[in-house]
Amino acid sequence: MTADYSEVRASYVTMIAPRPMSALPPAATPAVPDPSPLDAILERYWGYTSFRPLQREAMDAVLARRDSLVVMPTGAGKSLCFQAPALLGDGLALVVSPLISLMKDQVDTLTGNGVAAACYHSALTSEQKAEVLDGLRAGRLKLLYVSPERLVGDGAEGFLRRVAAGAAPLAFVAVDEAHCISQWGHDFRPEYRQLARLRDVFPGVSLHAFTATATARVRRDITEQLALHEPLELVGSFDRPNLTYRVLPRASLRPQLVDVLRRHDREAGIIYCTSRKDVDQLTAWLQGEGRRAVAYHAGLSDDERHRSQDAFLDEHADVVVATVAFGMGIDRSDVRFVVHAGAPQSLEHYQQESGRAGRDGLEAECVLIVSGADFLKWRTLLEKNGEWNDQRRQLLRDIERYSSGVGCRHKHLLAHFGERYAKAECGACDFCLGELESVDDPVTLARKILSCVARVGQRFGAAHVTNVLRGATSEAVTSRGHETLSTFGLLKDASVDAVRGYIDQLLGRGLLQQTGDQYPVLALTEDGVALLKDAGAVSGLSLARQRRPDPSRGPRRSKAETEGWEGVDRDLFERLRALRLDVARARGVPPYVIFHDTTLRELARTRPSSLEALRHVYGVGAKKADDLGPAVLDVIAGRA
Ligand code: ADP
Ligand code: MG
């Protein structure tokens, strides 16, 4: 099962004409795009039998040495778009990558597949460096990964000369994570801005940019800054059908987390928190509960952060509890859940962070646990930093609307990024899975809540209002005589979560607002006042609550969830996973570099019994079959 990014949003494909190649150093002869060699390469080195959407187009542009900009979501398979073409012809591909960890991962994967690839960066020992330069001189390398500093910073000249003097001509340059060039992106790297200089050093060599950041502004920036010449622009669909999105009103965080974790025993996940304190506390709690959890935030030392990151990548830990500082460079492909224990500051952030789940195309879950107070917190913070402006307000509004929305989450997210969702329902979000239940008479319900907010004098927060509505005689309620209000106990049959959820939804709809410096206090908006006066004042209001799970029915599963495990011998899967871990430890690489879960599941589904049969399994190329085939067959046959 692979992910299906079948909808191509905007791809204008004009004639692919190689530009004249001038002078030094000689560029590799532009190959005429011919589909069959690429197919063969994919099969031989990666064990893949088909292209994902837009991959072939992107590869053709590389082969034709036509500048290109490829925008596809995380996990869509951008790396293959420059890796596979690099293996055709006798040239060298230079790949610019912003992080050593990213380079290392890709190079480990490539060499594991039998591809001559290397990276060159500051963390190498001098012997390692010498070896790379040797390979370069001899023309042994097909792909060389470098940081932007290598190409434009101090000492870049010497390095570039070596590239030019290598036995293999420079075929093309691929710029990965190209949004780093843009201040509008989320990981701005000044050195990226100077990459256009490569044009002077290697005239005629094509540049190919790759990113998962979709906004038009970033795309324009990339094109301009890299001085791309009539680039072929390929933009894939941003839908991630294998991700199931859920939004939960935050009632009691820990039980809510336990609920998610229970669905992911021994699986990898990330829990994003909005403060370092939350990270530390949640990590300690999870560890106390016997979970293999580590913390990651900017307040930790470099050393501690590296340790956490490595523990997660090497499967010593299952869960990372982190602030947004954790993210780029995390290529662990089997992340099965990403929880946000608090709202991020924009849907762009949310998409980026939640998108780290399910890179392997298998089912994964993204849960946003949110409270109306989160948005006030962001606002206060941004105001304090002097960053509160119309744009920020709009970004925050957008994520608030997503959180409180009652509708298909996939559709909502796509619409936000300017894409139309073609299907009527996704079958992979809380709404489409029927986990939300619309209330029958939302207007009456809304008016009960609004009226309670008015009765307590618009001076209390959501927790207090919830108590009054549910008829809870807390100390805070009785000490103020709020048990005598006419709205006391109006919603006594509703759960705390449900009432908190309704309040969040009214905030999202702009019927309530939050004010207050120290504590968020609920108040009516103009629209809220209007609805209180006149039940017909607001149209199209809907409110929803979580449906109570029906024990006789069991949880509904998304298509990806059902299909992903269909026919898989789970026990065998775990044994193969253990083998993968052993091999990874022995070789000092992360396990996902050895095999993806997709491959392990297929092995545990089809139980191949010969090397020949093994070669036909997804993700098993020639080298892997030679290298690990016997060990895998032993595990399948129960011999190991
Ligand atoms: P991106 O850079 O777009 O986030 P990657 O290049 O890391 O994505 O690819 C994500 C995963 O998809 C990798 O494991 C890759 O090997 C796999 N993949 C890429 N192309 C294909 C394909 N055509 N068939 C099967 N798997 C693929
Ligand atoms: Mg990538």
Side-chain angles (χ1 to χ4, degrees):
M1 221 226 53
T2 53
D4 172 21
Y5 307 104
S6 51
E7 218 189 66
V8 177
R9 177 153 36 122
S11 56
Y12 68 87
V13 183
T14 41
M15 253 197 19
I16 299 183
R19 283 178 292 110
M21 316 265 153
S22 59
L24 265 171
T29 327
V32 178
D34 176 354
S36 51
L38 276 178
D39 284 291
I41 280 185
L42 225 59
E43 209 287 319
R44 179 184 151 86
Y45 290 97
W46 281 271
Y48 298 153
T49 45
S50 58
F51 292 88
R52 298 240 183 102
L54 296 185
Q55 279 186 325
R56 190 186 286 274
E57 289 86 340
M59 291 181 196
D60 283 348
V62 175
L63 289 177
R65 309 292 184 244
R66 170 174 176 184
D67 284 3
S68 60
L69 168 58
V70 176
V71 188
M72 299 201 281
T74 307
K78 291 185 288 297
S79 355
L80 216 62
C81 299
F82 54 83
Q83 290 170 343
L87 300 187
L88 282 180
D90 55 2
L92 166 81
L94 207 54
V95 183
V96 183
S97 176
L99 292 178
I100 292 178
S101 61
L102 281 178
M103 291 182 217
K104 225 174 115 355
D105 261 18
Q106 294 205 13
V107 170
D108 284 346
T109 308
L110 285 168
T111 48
N113 287 338
V115 175
C119 42
Y120 194 79
H121 53 71
S122 52
L124 295 184
T125 63
S126 33
E127 290 95 81
Q128 287 170 323
K129 280 186 183 161
E131 199 185 316
V132 174
L133 294 177
D134 232 36
L136 195 59
R137 196 173 318 119
R140 271 199 303 272
L141 294 172
K142 301 308 295 177
L143 291 119
L144 181 58
Y145 283 72
V146 292
S147 59
E149 292 83 353
R150 242 340 107 199
L151 302 178
V152 295
D154 292 341
E157 228 164 280
F159 178 75
L160 290 172
R161 230 184 340 249
R162 285 169 191 268
V163 171
L170 182 63
F172 62 88
V173 178
V175 182
D176 205 5
E177 311 290 346
H179 58 273
C180 291
I181 215 166
S182 175
Q183 269 158 330
W184 298 103
H186 36 80
D187 293 300
F188 177 53
R189 291 279 296 268
E191 310 82 27
Y192 262 71
R193 297 224 141 205
Q194 303 168 36
L195 287 173
R197 280 204 219 147
L198 289 175
R199 291 278 190 214
D200 306 332
V201 190
F202 299 108
V205 166
S206 58
L207 286 187
H208 306 276
F210 298 85
T211 179
T213 301
T215 65
R217 179 134 51 177
V218 173
R219 263 187 270 163
R220 209 164 47 235
D221 240 12
I222 294 172
T223 307
E224 279 168 15
Q225 296 292 331
L226 284 180
L228 296 184
H229 177 69
E230 291 177 13
L232 176 74
E233 221 176 281
L234 296 167
V235 182
S237 168
F238 270 70
D239 189 33
R240 303 278 309 272
N242 60 318
L243 302 188
T244 298
Y245 295 104
R246 296 191 161 90
V247 180
L248 303 173
R250 186 165 63 241
S252 31
L253 180 62
R254 289 180 184 190
Q256 289 176 311
L257 286 175
V258 167
D259 209 42
V260 178
L261 290 165
R262 207 180 294 136
R263 293 195 282 270
H264 299 283
D265 194 31
R266 282 180 299 172
E267 293 183 340
I270 306 172
I271 299 176
Y272 279 112
C273 300
T274 46
S275 77
R276 295 173 189 182
K277 197 175 107 219
D278 290 352
V279 169
D280 291 335
Q281 287 175 349
L282 276 186
T283 312
W285 167 68
L286 285 169
Q287 287 169 344
E289 298 278 299
R291 296 272 169 185
R292 301 197 306 166
V294 290
Y296 190 104
H297 59 66
L300 300 173
S301 68
D302 282 358
D303 210 43
E304 288 169 308
R305 267 182 293 136
H306 277 132
R307 239 180 302 145
S308 291
Q309 177 163 329
D310 288 346
F312 183 61
L313 295 184
D314 298 340
E315 289 188 16
H316 286 289
D318 299 321
V319 182
V320 189
V321 188
T323 59
V324 292
F326 181 76
M328 194 168 65
I330 304 309
D331 259 1
R332 183 164 176 177
S333 59
D334 64 343
V335 173
R336 298 268 80 87
F337 65 95
V338 173
V339 178
H340 279 76
Q345 53 175 311
S346 72
L347 270 183
E348 281 73 7
H349 283 85
Y350 187 61
Q351 197 217 21
Q352 186 76 23
E353 289 149 24
S354 63
R356 295 185 178 126
R359 292 175 71 101
D360 52 13
L362 293 171
E363 79 289 343
E365 183 181 4
C366 305
V367 185
L368 175 57
I369 304 180
V370 64
S371 139
D374 296 346
F375 303 105
L376 188 66
K377 201 167 127 190
W378 276 120
R379 184 192 166 141
T380 314
L381 185 81
L382 291 167
E383 274 174 349
K384 209 173 82 191
N385 295 346
E387 293 173 31
W388 185 241
N389 55 34
D390 283 352
Q391 192 202 352
R392 293 295 197 150
R393 191 193 311 273
Q394 188 55 45
L395 291 175
L396 208 54
R397 259 325 271 160
D398 288 341
I399 173 101
E400 189 173 7
R401 207 166 288 138
Y402 172 81
S403 323
S404 59
V406 181
C408 173
R409 311 279 179 201
H410 281 265
K411 190 172 176 172
H412 191 128
L413 282 169
L414 276 202
H416 178 77
F417 293 102
E419 195 179 334
R420 208 175 59 84
Y421 191 63
K423 290 183 264 180
E425 58 149 13
C426 66
C429 75
D430 49 1
F431 184 77
C432 293
L433 287 170
E435 293 168 9
L436 299 181
E437 175 169 44
S438 293
V439 305
D440 287 336
D441 186 357
V443 172
T444 305
L445 176 61
R447 295 179 81 208
K448 286 179 181 171
I449 296 168
L450 296 175
S451 133
C452 185
V453 171
R455 287 297 154 84
V456 298
Q458 311 194 59
R459 287 191 359 256
F460 292 88
H464 187 80
V465 170
T466 302
N467 277 336
V468 175
L469 281 164
R470 295 186 65 245
T473 45
S474 71
E475 154 73 31
V477 170
T478 46
S479 67
R480 291 172 177 90
H482 284 169
E483 77 281 11
T484 63
L485 295 174
S486 60
T487 51
F488 182 77
L490 264 185
L491 302 180
K492 60 177 178 309
D493 295 329
S495 67
V496 177
D497 302 11
V499 178
R500 291 298 289 263
Y502 300 145
I503 292 173
D504 287 346
Q505 291 164 53
L506 294 176
L507 285 163
R509 262 303 293 244
L511 295 169
L512 284 176
Q513 60 184 326
Q514 286 182 312
T515 55
D517 299 330
Q518 228 175 339
Y519 302 104
V521 163
L522 291 177
L524 302 180
T525 61
E526 235 173 83
D527 284 350
V529 173
L531 183 64
L532 205 48
K533 284 192 187 137
D534 169 10
V538 169
S539 63
L541 179 69
S542 54
L543 292 171
R545 63 176 162 255
Q546 307 291 131
R547 196 188 291 277
R548 271 175 219 284
D550 176 354
S552 67
R553 231 176 44 150
R556 273 190 66 186
R557 299 189 175 283
S558 73
K559 190 158 152 268
E561 254 174 313
T562 328
E563 285 180 355
W565 285 110
E566 218 160 62
V568 176
D569 176 340
R570 289 237 188 186
D571 197 55
L572 178 55
F573 172 79
E574 287 302 333
R575 280 185 285 130
L576 289 166
R577 216 179 144 194
L579 169 70
R580 173 176 69 180
L581 194 58
D582 285 346
V583 174
R585 296 265 153 88
R587 300 185 180 182
V589 293
Y592 55 84
V593 159
I594 306 288
F595 281 128
H596 279 310
D597 278 16
T598 338
T599 302
L600 296 192
R601 286 197 201 174
E602 199 178 319
L603 287 168
R605 187 185 290 122
T606 57
R607 311 183 66 103
S609 56
S610 67
L611 280 177
E612 173 52 25
L614 189 76
R615 266 298 271 122
H616 290 111
V617 170
Y618 167 96
V620 184
K623 169 105 192 274
K624 285 270 161 74
D626 279 355
D627 186 17
L628 300 170
V632 169
L633 293 178
D634 279 352
V635 170
I636 293 174
R639 291 188 294 262

